[in-house]
Amino acid sequence: MKKGIILLIIANILWGGNYICGRFLGPALPPNLLNTIRWAISTVILFVILLLNKKKIPIFAMWKEFLILGFFGIFGFSTLNYMGLRLISASQAGMISAGTPVAILMFSFLLLKEHISFKSWLGTFVSLAGVIILFLGKQGSGVASGSWIGGLETILAGWAWALYTVFGRKFGKNTDPLIMTAGAAFYGTLFSALSCIGTVRFDMIHMTGSAWLAVIYVSTLASVGAFYAWNLGVKILGASKAAPYLNLIPVCTVILGIFLLKEVISGISLLGGIITILGAILATQRSGSAPTSVPAEDNANNMCSSGVAE
């Protein structure tokens, strides 16, 4: 059991590192180009893993499902996240993303007609209040000072991830999670590459050795590495015991932001982040079981990016 907990914590740290690298790479690459490079590399790795395991990828037979998942989860979520990280700190983005499970709950109600309890509705409003408080928080200086645009982009990223999760539940009932992820990554990379046409110029690229290392990190450890660490942890602990560990993503992001990027968090921003996390836990807690943010089977399929999310 201890090994499973360690693996889940490692996965959260790796996902939190994606926010740090996204913030660090803001001046180096346009968000859509960064996302294209990241997922092009990740897609190749995923395809190689599937081939080594002799698993076929129905890249054309399931093109509609992969197209939808790729648009929302790979292109929409990641690109919007990187856009937001150009304007707000990694810590603030991580805390705002803590409300993503609430968005998943809402879309599950609207699209899958799932029942939502009074406690879940209460947690939803608590989490939304936390996000509003986060928007009021002032931290750092210049363009990163609680940018409304960056915050909205991060919220939209959470909505995109929520749609990805809900559609993943609908499409992935009889499909291997790794195959679903690889298919979504393939089509999402195509969307991202197409978005670069006419929007990316060479003078917008300012790569350094450190920037390349960050790109390699988000393409490997923050993607495939975290996916496997999480899957192994879930296999050891079980879904219900593993899911609450998703709430560590914003915590890891804040800690890494403070130590690696020297970010400063105001008291009101910290308060908003805590309220957002508590609201998400309340909203997604199941009666008689451990609290869950996203069913572990779905999260394994979605490979956060916390990005969660995550």
Side-chain angles (χ1 to χ4, degrees):
M1 180 172 288
K2 187 179 294 184
K3 181 182 177 181
I5 293 174
I6 292 173
L7 286 168
L8 296 179
I9 292 174
I10 289 174
N12 278 280
I13 293 173
L14 293 176
W15 282 324
N18 182 51
Y19 285 92
I20 305 304
C21 289
R23 176 66 177 165
F24 176 75
L25 288 167
L29 287 169
N32 51 346
L33 180 58
L34 168 57
N35 196 53
T36 302
I37 295 173
R38 175 197 178 183
W39 283 105
I41 295 173
S42 296
T43 300
V44 171
I45 295 173
L46 289 168
F47 272 54
V48 169
I49 292 173
L50 287 171
L51 289 173
L52 290 175
N53 285 277
K54 298 181 180 180
K55 293 183 178 181
K56 294 184 178 180
I57 311 168
I59 203 69
F60 297 113
M62 294 184 63
W63 72 270
K64 290 182 181 179
E65 292 87 344
F66 291 156
L67 193 75
I68 292 172
L69 294 175
F71 178 79
F72 287 113
I74 306 302
F75 171 59
F77 167 71
S78 294
T79 302
L80 285 166
N81 239 346
Y82 291 139
M83 289 172 64
L85 284 166
R86 292 166 69 92
L87 300 174
I88 62 176
S89 71
S91 300
Q92 193 172 19
M95 288 189 290
I96 291 175
S97 69
T100 300
V102 174
I104 294 172
L105 192 75
M106 296 300 297
F107 282 119
S108 296
F109 170 73
L110 294 173
L111 300 178
L112 302 181
K113 309 303 180 184
E114 292 185 0
H115 172 71
I116 299 180
S117 66
F118 172 77
K119 182 173 63 177
S120 295
W121 282 115
L122 179 61
T124 297
F125 287 112
V126 170
S127 190
L128 289 174
V131 172
I132 293 172
I133 293 173
L134 267 170
F135 268 84
L136 300 176
K138 301 294 183 180
Q139 55 177 314
S141 60
V143 73
S145 296
S147 166
W148 280 82
I149 295 177
L152 286 173
E153 287 168 341
T154 305
I155 289 176
L156 288 175
W159 290 359
W161 184 258
L163 286 167
Y164 176 56
T165 301
V166 171
F167 284 123
R169 290 177 182 173
K170 184 177 181 179
F171 301 147
K173 293 180 179 178
N174 301 310
T175 306
D176 186 299
L178 189 61
I179 291 176
M180 291 292 289
T181 303
F186 176 80
Y187 282 98
T189 301
L190 292 181
F191 277 120
S192 195
L194 288 173
S195 74
C196 293
I197 300 175
T199 63
V200 175
R201 305 185 309 272
F202 282 108
D203 61 358
M204 299 168 70
I205 303 172
H206 309 285
M207 293 298 289
T208 62
S210 298
W212 277 114
L213 287 175
V215 169
I216 293 172
Y217 173 87
V218 299
S219 304
T220 55
L221 294 177
S223 300
V224 182
F227 174 86
Y228 273 103
W230 180 265
N231 259 359
L232 289 174
V234 170
K235 189 174 182 180
I236 294 171
L237 290 182
S240 62
K241 291 183 179 179
Y245 284 88
L246 285 171
N247 295 301
L248 289 177
I249 295 176
V251 177
C252 292
T253 303
V254 170
I255 293 173
L256 290 173
I258 292 173
F259 283 99
L260 298 180
L261 299 180
K262 309 300 180 185
E263 294 181 346
V264 178
I265 305 174
S266 68
I268 191 169
S269 291
L270 184 60
L271 175 63
I274 292 173
I275 292 175
T276 301
I277 295 171
L278 292 177
I281 293 173
L282 178 63
T284 54
Q285 188 176 30
R286 294 176 179 177
S287 300
S289 65
T292 61
S293 295
V294 187
E297 294 84 0
D298 292 330
N299 186 73
N301 178 34
N302 294 337
M303 196 168 64
C304 183
S305 142
S306 158
V308 67
E310 244 180 43

